[in-house]
Amino acid sequence: MRNIFGKTGHGFYSFIAHLARILKLSGQSLYWIFIAPFKGKRIRWRLTFIQMVRIGVDAVPIVSIITFSVGLIIAMQAAYQLERFGASIYVADLVGVSITRELGPLITAIIIAGRSGSAIAAEIGTMKVAEEIDALKTMALNPIGFLVVPRTLAMIIVVPCLTILADFLGIAGGFSLAVFSLKIPFIAYFNETATAILLKDFLTGLVKSLVFAVIISQIGAYQGFSVSGGAEGVGKSTTASVVSSIFLIIFSDLIFTMIFFSA
Amino acid sequence: MPEPIIKIRDLHTSYGELKVLKGITLDVYADETLVILGRSGCGKSTLLRHLIGLQKPTKGEIYIKDVDIVRASEDGREEVMKKIGMLFQGAALFNSMSVGENVALPLVEHTPLESSTISIMTRMKLDLVGLAGFENFMPSQLSGGMKKRAAMARALAMDPDILFCDEPSAGLDPIVAVGIDHLILKLKKAFKMTIVVVTHELASVFLIADRIALLHEGEVIFLGTKEEMKNSKDPRICQFLERRPDEEIIDRDKHLSALVGEGYIS
Ligand SMILES: Nc1ncnc2c1ncn2[C@@H]1O[C@H](COP(=O)(O)OP(=O)(O)OP(=O)(O)O)[C@@H](O)[C@H]1O
Ligand SMILES: [Mg+2]
């Protein structure tokens, strides 16, 4: 019994300790993005650009295919229910709203967490193990400014862009089902979608994606820096980065939805 | 006596329970080459990591050019580091960059030089360590000895006035190892660098050292010139110089119980 309390207490304590260190790292990243440039420390746009290509451009095909399929799936599930009431046209509303408000940002974030959050953790972790982080410090290069900031900035720029793409392709998925299988006229579906999606829905989705971008980059970097030991440590941290960023993404999504739902 | 350029005062450090450095006090003077000797695991790399500010001691002070490295602000420390080169025991090249980019990185980051100038300087540094023409290789394409030399070129990129080398010739063939020793001699003569080298190779110690410090169980047990070391009567120094193994274990029971675990042998 005591053991259980002890374990839970210890687990809770270490969770809080992790959280505190993640917040500290995020604070340092914020400092390096917003304050350090005014103190003569430049932001490395070239490295940021390289990361934007790796995190964003390279993810376009997979994000497209997955969100298109999800749009198609929702449309099929919705049509199955709505057809019985002769209300197939409302597939457009369902797909449009659920993709822009929820699934576009969420699925993009989960793909990027699996694809790039893990890569950030693995890269930084490998550098830590090989003393490369120490080498950076001895060259008077701050690892936050040199490694974390370009990745964070790239993430913040690219994830919302991917989310917009995901929104379009998700809707396109629903669209293709409606037009080719449900035989809803092109114009009717288009008009229905256009009236269903409010600008607000679309924007809340983008705000969420911004938060997800910060979560993925900071967790990835944090897990990378906390690697200890050799290759095994890198593997553990990489896994942990994916698991904990997906957890935090869903958790913050829940909070957001509660706020927007009540508002 | 000139003012020392590096001052270490009563440095203590520990990893958890394990006390690694137990009160190191050491001065390094400008333009000298100090060799730190000691058995594997006695804390030589740990000492170097403290000197470049990567680790904080539990107690004690380190001054480099009168800057308190332990308590300096991040900016203050970085300002000193720009004029210090460090060769890590494991080379620590950036594996995602080519050899040329590795050497150029400090120049790109800390100097306003144009990229054409930087690429010339990069090639000069690589030429100095005998790696001319390798700037487009990736670190993974180099042998261990070449990595060490590339790392040396990177450490020299900013024309440092202090150079720390952690086992520069460990794991290299004797010819390359002697090459590194001669490189160190050349740097000492031509560039008037202050060099602190950690090494196990007695041959290179006697070639490059001005003074030698012998570390034993976290303390400096000897500090002096080559001649003083050779003439020393201290059994621990003699053992080191004569390359004798540890004494045979006398207490067999104790040794056995250490091997099989406590409480096994009554
Ligand atoms: N990160 C660490 N965590 C815990 N203990 C460590 C750590 N790094 C080193 N040690 C311990 O500190 C002691 C000194 O290590 P250090 O690397 O300084 O030795 P060294 O003198 O450089 O040895 P070598 O000649 O083999 O490189 C060793 O006993 C080692 O086990
Ligand atoms: Mg060592």
Side-chain angles (χ1 to χ4, degrees), chain A residues 196-208:
Chain A
I197 304 173
L198 302 175
L199 184 63
K200 192 185 118 206
D201 295 336
F202 180 70
L203 290 182
T204 51
L206 283 192
V207 171
K208 274 192 210 174

mmCIF file with all atom_site columns, all heavy atoms in Angstrom, chain A residues 196-208:
data_model
loop_
_atom_site.group_PDB
_atom_site.id
_atom_site.type_symbol
_atom_site.label_atom_id
_atom_site.label_alt_id
_atom_site.label_comp_id
_atom_site.label_asym_id
_atom_site.label_entity_id
_atom_site.label_seq_id
_atom_site.pdbx_PDB_ins_code
_atom_site.Cartn_x
_atom_site.Cartn_y
_atom_site.Cartn_z
_atom_site.occupancy
_atom_site.B_iso_or_equiv
_atom_site.pdbx_formal_charge
_atom_site.auth_seq_id
_atom_site.auth_comp_id
_atom_site.auth_asym_id
_atom_site.auth_atom_id
_atom_site.pdbx_PDB_model_num
ATOM 1   N N   . ALA A 1 196 ? -20.889 26.503 -44.264 1.00 0.00 ? 196 ALA A N   1
ATOM 2   C CA  . ALA A 1 196 ? -20.713 25.783 -42.994 1.00 0.00 ? 196 ALA A CA  1
ATOM 3   C C   . ALA A 1 196 ? -19.484 26.248 -42.232 1.00 0.00 ? 196 ALA A C   1
ATOM 4   O O   . ALA A 1 196 ? -19.509 26.406 -41.015 1.00 0.00 ? 196 ALA A O   1
ATOM 5   C CB  . ALA A 1 196 ? -20.624 24.285 -43.256 1.00 0.00 ? 196 ALA A CB  1
ATOM 6   N N   . ILE A 1 197 ? -18.390 26.449 -42.952 1.00 0.00 ? 197 ILE A N   1
ATOM 7   C CA  . ILE A 1 197 ? -17.132 26.799 -42.260 1.00 0.00 ? 197 ILE A CA  1
ATOM 8   C C   . ILE A 1 197 ? -17.110 28.282 -41.959 1.00 0.00 ? 197 ILE A C   1
ATOM 9   O O   . ILE A 1 197 ? -17.219 29.111 -42.849 1.00 0.00 ? 197 ILE A O   1
ATOM 10  C CB  . ILE A 1 197 ? -15.913 26.461 -43.139 1.00 0.00 ? 197 ILE A CB  1
ATOM 11  C CG1 . ILE A 1 197 ? -15.936 24.998 -43.528 1.00 0.00 ? 197 ILE A CG1 1
ATOM 12  C CG2 . ILE A 1 197 ? -14.630 26.759 -42.378 1.00 0.00 ? 197 ILE A CG2 1
ATOM 13  C CD1 . ILE A 1 197 ? -14.872 24.646 -44.523 1.00 0.00 ? 197 ILE A CD1 1
ATOM 14  N N   . LEU A 1 198 ? -16.975 28.594 -40.708 1.00 0.00 ? 198 LEU A N   1
ATOM 15  C CA  . LEU A 1 198 ? -16.828 29.999 -40.343 1.00 0.00 ? 198 LEU A CA  1
ATOM 16  C C   . LEU A 1 198 ? -15.340 30.311 -40.301 1.00 0.00 ? 198 LEU A C   1
ATOM 17  O O   . LEU A 1 198 ? -14.520 29.435 -40.013 1.00 0.00 ? 198 LEU A O   1
ATOM 18  C CB  . LEU A 1 198 ? -17.439 30.245 -38.969 1.00 0.00 ? 198 LEU A CB  1
ATOM 19  C CG  . LEU A 1 198 ? -18.914 29.874 -38.833 1.00 0.00 ? 198 LEU A CG  1
ATOM 20  C CD1 . LEU A 1 198 ? -19.370 30.055 -37.403 1.00 0.00 ? 198 LEU A CD1 1
ATOM 21  C CD2 . LEU A 1 198 ? -19.741 30.725 -39.774 1.00 0.00 ? 198 LEU A CD2 1
ATOM 22  N N   . LEU A 1 199 ? -15.036 31.571 -40.540 1.00 0.00 ? 199 LEU A N   1
ATOM 23  C CA  . LEU A 1 199 ? -13.641 31.983 -40.473 1.00 0.00 ? 199 LEU A CA  1
ATOM 24  C C   . LEU A 1 199 ? -13.077 31.666 -39.085 1.00 0.00 ? 199 LEU A C   1
ATOM 25  O O   . LEU A 1 199 ? -11.933 31.266 -38.921 1.00 0.00 ? 199 LEU A O   1
ATOM 26  C CB  . LEU A 1 199 ? -13.544 33.481 -40.766 1.00 0.00 ? 199 LEU A CB  1
ATOM 27  C CG  . LEU A 1 199 ? -12.109 34.017 -40.813 1.00 0.00 ? 199 LEU A CG  1
ATOM 28  C CD1 . LEU A 1 199 ? -11.333 33.360 -41.947 1.00 0.00 ? 199 LEU A CD1 1
ATOM 29  C CD2 . LEU A 1 199 ? -12.092 35.525 -40.953 1.00 0.00 ? 199 LEU A CD2 1
ATOM 30  N N   . LYS A 1 200 ? -13.947 31.805 -38.076 1.00 0.00 ? 200 LYS A N   1
ATOM 31  C CA  . LYS A 1 200 ? -13.542 31.562 -36.703 1.00 0.00 ? 200 LYS A CA  1
ATOM 32  C C   . LYS A 1 200 ? -13.042 30.118 -36.523 1.00 0.00 ? 200 LYS A C   1
ATOM 33  O O   . LYS A 1 200 ? -12.019 29.881 -35.870 1.00 0.00 ? 200 LYS A O   1
ATOM 34  C CB  . LYS A 1 200 ? -14.721 31.831 -35.770 1.00 0.00 ? 200 LYS A CB  1
ATOM 35  C CG  . LYS A 1 200 ? -14.347 31.898 -34.313 1.00 0.00 ? 200 LYS A CG  1
ATOM 36  C CD  . LYS A 1 200 ? -15.582 32.040 -33.439 1.00 0.00 ? 200 LYS A CD  1
ATOM 37  C CE  . LYS A 1 200 ? -15.682 30.846 -32.531 1.00 0.00 ? 200 LYS A CE  1
ATOM 38  N NZ  . LYS A 1 200 ? -17.014 30.531 -32.088 1.00 0.00 ? 200 LYS A NZ  1
ATOM 39  N N   . ASP A 1 201 ? -13.775 29.164 -37.123 1.00 0.00 ? 201 ASP A N   1
ATOM 40  C CA  . ASP A 1 201 ? -13.379 27.761 -36.999 1.00 0.00 ? 201 ASP A CA  1
ATOM 41  C C   . ASP A 1 201 ? -11.973 27.548 -37.552 1.00 0.00 ? 201 ASP A C   1
ATOM 42  O O   . ASP A 1 201 ? -11.116 26.906 -36.948 1.00 0.00 ? 201 ASP A O   1
ATOM 43  C CB  . ASP A 1 201 ? -14.344 26.862 -37.776 1.00 0.00 ? 201 ASP A CB  1
ATOM 44  C CG  . ASP A 1 201 ? -15.736 26.902 -37.180 1.00 0.00 ? 201 ASP A CG  1
ATOM 45  O OD1 . ASP A 1 201 ? -15.837 27.213 -35.984 1.00 0.00 ? 201 ASP A OD1 1
ATOM 46  O OD2 . ASP A 1 201 ? -16.693 26.631 -37.919 1.00 0.00 ? 201 ASP A OD2 1
ATOM 47  N N   . PHE A 1 202 ? -11.806 28.133 -38.734 1.00 0.00 ? 202 PHE A N   1
ATOM 48  C CA  . PHE A 1 202 ? -10.533 27.997 -39.420 1.00 0.00 ? 202 PHE A CA  1
ATOM 49  C C   . PHE A 1 202 ? -9.400  28.604 -38.585 1.00 0.00 ? 202 PHE A C   1
ATOM 50  O O   . PHE A 1 202 ? -8.338  28.001 -38.393 1.00 0.00 ? 202 PHE A O   1
ATOM 51  C CB  . PHE A 1 202 ? -10.676 28.709 -40.757 1.00 0.00 ? 202 PHE A CB  1
ATOM 52  C CG  . PHE A 1 202 ? -9.457  28.672 -41.607 1.00 0.00 ? 202 PHE A CG  1
ATOM 53  C CD1 . PHE A 1 202 ? -9.045  27.484 -42.192 1.00 0.00 ? 202 PHE A CD1 1
ATOM 54  C CD2 . PHE A 1 202 ? -8.717  29.823 -41.836 1.00 0.00 ? 202 PHE A CD2 1
ATOM 55  C CE1 . PHE A 1 202 ? -7.925  27.456 -42.982 1.00 0.00 ? 202 PHE A CE1 1
ATOM 56  C CE2 . PHE A 1 202 ? -7.593  29.785 -42.622 1.00 0.00 ? 202 PHE A CE2 1
ATOM 57  C CZ  . PHE A 1 202 ? -7.199  28.602 -43.196 1.00 0.00 ? 202 PHE A CZ  1
ATOM 58  N N   . LEU A 1 203 ? -9.659  29.779 -38.016 1.00 0.00 ? 203 LEU A N   1
ATOM 59  C CA  . LEU A 1 203 ? -8.614  30.461 -37.254 1.00 0.00 ? 203 LEU A CA  1
ATOM 60  C C   . LEU A 1 203 ? -8.321  29.755 -35.939 1.00 0.00 ? 203 LEU A C   1
ATOM 61  O O   . LEU A 1 203 ? -7.153  29.629 -35.555 1.00 0.00 ? 203 LEU A O   1
ATOM 62  C CB  . LEU A 1 203 ? -9.012  31.923 -36.995 1.00 0.00 ? 203 LEU A CB  1
ATOM 63  C CG  . LEU A 1 203 ? -9.001  32.803 -38.237 1.00 0.00 ? 203 LEU A CG  1
ATOM 64  C CD1 . LEU A 1 203 ? -9.363  34.243 -37.879 1.00 0.00 ? 203 LEU A CD1 1
ATOM 65  C CD2 . LEU A 1 203 ? -7.640  32.770 -38.927 1.00 0.00 ? 203 LEU A CD2 1
ATOM 66  N N   . THR A 1 204 ? -9.354  29.268 -35.255 1.00 0.00 ? 204 THR A N   1
ATOM 67  C CA  . THR A 1 204 ? -9.057  28.543 -34.011 1.00 0.00 ? 204 THR A CA  1
ATOM 68  C C   . THR A 1 204 ? -8.195  27.328 -34.318 1.00 0.00 ? 204 THR A C   1
ATOM 69  O O   . THR A 1 204 ? -7.293  26.989 -33.547 1.00 0.00 ? 204 THR A O   1
ATOM 70  C CB  . THR A 1 204 ? -10.324 28.091 -33.268 1.00 0.00 ? 204 THR A CB  1
ATOM 71  O OG1 . THR A 1 204 ? -11.160 27.399 -34.185 1.00 0.00 ? 204 THR A OG1 1
ATOM 72  C CG2 . THR A 1 204 ? -11.058 29.238 -32.637 1.00 0.00 ? 204 THR A CG2 1
ATOM 73  N N   . GLY A 1 205 ? -8.463  26.701 -35.452 1.00 0.00 ? 205 GLY A N   1
ATOM 74  C CA  . GLY A 1 205 ? -7.633  25.568 -35.863 1.00 0.00 ? 205 GLY A CA  1
ATOM 75  C C   . GLY A 1 205 ? -6.176  25.986 -36.009 1.00 0.00 ? 205 GLY A C   1
ATOM 76  O O   . GLY A 1 205 ? -5.262  25.302 -35.553 1.00 0.00 ? 205 GLY A O   1
ATOM 77  N N   . LEU A 1 206 ? -5.971  27.165 -36.616 1.00 0.00 ? 206 LEU A N   1
ATOM 78  C CA  . LEU A 1 206 ? -4.587  27.627 -36.822 1.00 0.00 ? 206 LEU A CA  1
ATOM 79  C C   . LEU A 1 206 ? -3.913  27.973 -35.498 1.00 0.00 ? 206 LEU A C   1
ATOM 80  O O   . LEU A 1 206 ? -2.730  27.694 -35.302 1.00 0.00 ? 206 LEU A O   1
ATOM 81  C CB  . LEU A 1 206 ? -4.564  28.842 -37.744 1.00 0.00 ? 206 LEU A CB  1
ATOM 82  C CG  . LEU A 1 206 ? -4.756  28.543 -39.221 1.00 0.00 ? 206 LEU A CG  1
ATOM 83  C CD1 . LEU A 1 206 ? -4.431  29.780 -40.045 1.00 0.00 ? 206 LEU A CD1 1
ATOM 84  C CD2 . LEU A 1 206 ? -3.879  27.389 -39.656 1.00 0.00 ? 206 LEU A CD2 1
ATOM 85  N N   . VAL A 1 207 ? -4.681  28.570 -34.584 1.00 0.00 ? 207 VAL A N   1
ATOM 86  C CA  . VAL A 1 207 ? -4.102  28.901 -33.276 1.00 0.00 ? 207 VAL A CA  1
ATOM 87  C C   . VAL A 1 207 ? -3.656  27.619 -32.580 1.00 0.00 ? 207 VAL A C   1
ATOM 88  O O   . VAL A 1 207 ? -2.550  27.527 -32.047 1.00 0.00 ? 207 VAL A O   1
ATOM 89  C CB  . VAL A 1 207 ? -5.120  29.668 -32.406 1.00 0.00 ? 207 VAL A CB  1
ATOM 90  C CG1 . VAL A 1 207 ? -4.594  29.809 -30.982 1.00 0.00 ? 207 VAL A CG1 1
ATOM 91  C CG2 . VAL A 1 207 ? -5.406  31.029 -33.002 1.00 0.00 ? 207 VAL A CG2 1
ATOM 92  N N   . LYS A 1 208 ? -4.522  26.626 -32.630 1.00 0.00 ? 208 LYS A N   1
ATOM 93  C CA  . LYS A 1 208 ? -4.154  25.336 -32.045 1.00 0.00 ? 208 LYS A CA  1
ATOM 94  C C   . LYS A 1 208 ? -2.863  24.812 -32.665 1.00 0.00 ? 208 LYS A C   1
ATOM 95  O O   . LYS A 1 208 ? -1.964  24.357 -31.962 1.00 0.00 ? 208 LYS A O   1
ATOM 96  C CB  . LYS A 1 208 ? -5.244  24.311 -32.343 1.00 0.00 ? 208 LYS A CB  1
ATOM 97  C CG  . LYS A 1 208 ? -6.370  24.273 -31.379 1.00 0.00 ? 208 LYS A CG  1
ATOM 98  C CD  . LYS A 1 208 ? -7.136  23.002 -31.698 1.00 0.00 ? 208 LYS A CD  1
ATOM 99  C CE  . LYS A 1 208 ? -8.593  23.149 -31.372 1.00 0.00 ? 208 LYS A CE  1
ATOM 100 N NZ  . LYS A 1 208 ? -9.345  21.966 -31.809 1.00 0.00 ? 208 LYS A NZ  1
#
